Amino acid sequence: MHNPLEYLGRQIESWKQAGTYQALRELQTACQPVCRIDGREVINLASNNYLGLADHPQLIEAAVQATRRYGAGSGAVRSIAGTMSIHLELERRIADFKRVEACVVFQSGFAANSGTVAAILSPEDHIVSDELNHASIIDGCRLSKAKIHVFPHKDTAAAGRILEELDNQPGRKLLATDGVFSMDGDIAPLPALVEIAQRHGAILMIDDAHASGVLGRNGRGTVDHFGLHGQVDIQVGTLSKAIGVLGGYVCGRRELIEYLYHRARPFLFSTSHPPAVAASCLAAFDILEREPERIENLWNNTRYFKTALQAAGFRTGSSETPITPILVGDAGAAHAFSRALFEEGLFATGIGYPTVAQGKARVRTIMTATHSRDLIDRALEILSRVARKSGILAE
Ligand SMILES: *Cc1c(COP(=O)(O)O)cnc(C)c1O
């Protein structure tokens, strides 16, 4: 029979030949430091559940209560009949937490980024974007049809030169950066970016997906980390990583949020969160403010693990946060290393092109607050043993 999608199968076959095909791993327990995946107990170094909130009893209880009270679903998009009291309560809570005028919550961080960039830019505008920015920022820009100018990773001088060249061109300029870069775990040079944006009258946007709940006081993010409150126009955060649930948000001036209420397409055309999601997120912010020791644990574990990895001879690149890549180079080798680790009881994902550049494939590890020292030591032992066997570390 005629199959017009046959070319997809051929492409998949070529990935299998190259060793870059990745079967989905099946998580059979809650997301925890040790979980069962594909029938095997493994140490989990692959989740973004930085603070261990994903299965926290208070978040679960909040979800159950909200479901009982308000139902399983919200019934409509936000701009029609899907704005529930609990959605507004969460937005006020986040705005207070982030010390900004207002906040809008989206269904995901992806929707927050793509929906916001697409809404505020037009074809005559420009986005100046770090080459390692998240796909959702890029997608937003493509949807807006604004012109994309990519600068080398964290090269603020290059970003400044691009903006200077754009100074006498029409259109608005958006300077966009991730707060913490998701593949390398390094932190954006925010003070320099603030200065450049101000010098050239550009809008400054930061995507704090991996910094929310991780950097800054009580996890307030990169702006707080650098003490730059009031100097970043658009702060995006996620509720899906350290917060442990699902969603994304945009924080800033009231006019930005009002505008997005009227123009951001995921807000207008996609149903709002179930009440349970908003309730769990509210519970998570309570915990962030009440239990700062979770974030301390996260950073203590991170320092301990990273130092030990480096002492063992692993190349960890420029990481400064709980995301620590182990650089391998070849994509096939990175995926093979990841598979071998899994066989020995450790789950860390292999990442290759197109998620990272050709030749910069890696196994990415993510530390959390809830990994015990004993578990971290076991993880280090497995990593070193398997790396020696795979030729990633010298024998
Ligand atoms: C994960 C991530 C997102 C998307 O967030 P979700 O809430 O998972 O949709 C956006 N930006 C960056 C940098 C991310 O790492």
Side-chain angles (χ1 to χ4, degrees):
M1 216 173 47
H2 173 60
N3 174 8
L5 294 178
E6 200 193 320
Y7 69 104
L8 302 180
R10 281 198 301 274
Q11 182 65 62
I12 291 165
E13 205 41 54
S14 78
W15 296 333
K16 286 184 175 163
Q17 294 295 324
T20 58
Y21 175 86
Q22 274 184 300
L24 289 178
R25 295 277 190 205
E26 183 180 333
L27 178 61
Q28 294 158 328
T29 55
C31 175
Q32 288 166 341
V34 176
C35 44
R36 195 172 65 248
I37 298 177
D38 291 347
R40 190 187 284 276
E41 293 270 309
V42 289
I43 301 171
N44 181 4
L45 291 183
S47 90
N48 301 310
N49 183 20
Y50 289 109
L51 301 176
L53 295 180
D55 69 339
H56 192 287
Q58 260 169 271
L59 273 72
I60 294 170
E61 188 53 30
V64 170
Q65 296 284 343
T67 303
R68 291 236 159 80
R69 243 172 119 176
Y70 303 114
S74 73
V77 303
R78 286 288 304 276
S79 54
I80 297 182
T83 295
M84 297 177 123
S85 309
I86 200 160
H87 295 133
L88 295 174
E89 187 184 342
L90 177 61
E91 290 181 340
R92 278 194 301 271
R93 181 64 190 271
I94 298 173
D96 288 346
F97 180 74
K98 298 281 282 187
R99 312 249 195 280
V100 293
E101 281 176 21
C103 167
V104 49
V105 170
F106 286 86
Q107 300 84 352
S108 68
F110 197 105
N113 270 330
S114 59
T116 299
V117 175
I120 64 167
L121 295 185
S122 306
E124 65 276 15
D125 298 332
H126 302 269
I127 180 173
V128 180
S129 175
D130 188 291
E131 67 179 336
L132 296 187
N133 277 349
H134 195 258
S136 50
I137 297 179
I138 307 305
D139 279 16
C141 194
R142 288 179 183 161
L143 288 167
S144 77
K145 302 198 176 70
K147 291 162 217 55
I148 306 178
H149 309 266
V150 173
F151 63 88
H153 183 47
K154 288 175 55 164
D155 187 342
T156 54
R161 280 194 297 276
I162 295 170
L163 280 168
E164 201 172 315
E165 279 166 28
L166 294 173
D167 267 343
N168 40 27
Q169 287 199 37
R172 282 172 250 283
K173 288 93 193 185
L174 173 70
L175 178 57
T177 185
D178 282 10
V180 170
F181 290 87
S182 52
M183 294 301 145
D184 293 85
D186 51 345
I187 301 174
L190 196 59
L193 292 173
V194 163
E195 197 195 302
I196 295 168
Q198 285 172 356
R199 188 174 338 131
H200 298 283
I203 305 159
L204 182 56
M205 168 172 170
I206 187 158
D207 172 7
D208 251 350
H210 282 283
S212 313
V214 173
L215 276 185
R217 283 167 304 157
N218 303 83
R220 282 184 171 78
T222 311
V223 169
D224 189 83
H225 171 76
F226 284 112
L228 292 168
H229 286 281
Q231 313 218 47
V232 175
D233 305 291
I234 305 174
Q235 291 187 61
V236 177
T238 184
L239 303 166
S240 326
K241 290 176 175 147
I243 304 304
V245 194
L246 172 71
Y249 58 84
V250 177
C251 281
R253 293 182 193 87
R254 163 89 32 212
E255 65 209 359
L256 169 69
I257 305 310
E258 291 275 333
Y259 185 90
L260 293 174
Y261 276 179
H262 286 84
R263 284 292 180 274
R265 292 168 72 83
F267 188 89
L268 296 171
F269 297 111
S270 183
T271 298
S272 55
H273 278 156
V277 170
S280 295
C281 291
L282 281 163
F285 282 99
D286 284 344
I287 294 169
L288 279 189
E289 295 196 289
R290 210 183 47 228
E291 298 178 18
E293 60 275 15
R294 275 182 189 267
I295 299 178
E296 262 167 55
N297 285 344
L298 171 64
W299 283 95
N300 286 337
N301 285 349
T302 294
R303 278 186 286 269
Y304 179 79
F305 182 62
K306 210 186 292 285
T307 306
L309 278 179
Q310 287 159 354
F314 285 107
R315 290 189 303 137
T316 57
S318 49
S319 166
E320 314 167 71
T321 66
I323 298 172
T324 308
I326 293 174
L327 298 173
V328 174
D330 174 66
H335 291 300
F337 183 38
S338 169
R339 282 192 293 269
L341 289 169
F342 189 80
E343 295 303 311
E344 296 300 318
L346 186 140
F347 184 36
T349 7
I351 297 172
Y353 181 81
T355 309
V356 297
Q358 299 270 20
K360 291 196 172 171
R362 65 206 55 197
V363 163
R364 183 177 67 165
T365 68
I366 299 181
M367 190 38 66
T368 83
T370 47
H371 284 75
S372 66
R373 271 305 145 87
D374 174 53
L375 213 51
I376 299 173
D377 286 336
R378 271 165 54 202
L380 287 162
E381 187 276 320
I382 295 170
L383 281 161
S384 293
R385 178 157 44 84
V386 176
R388 268 191 218 98
K389 230 189 301 175
S390 328
I392 286 161
L393 284 184
E395 289 277 354

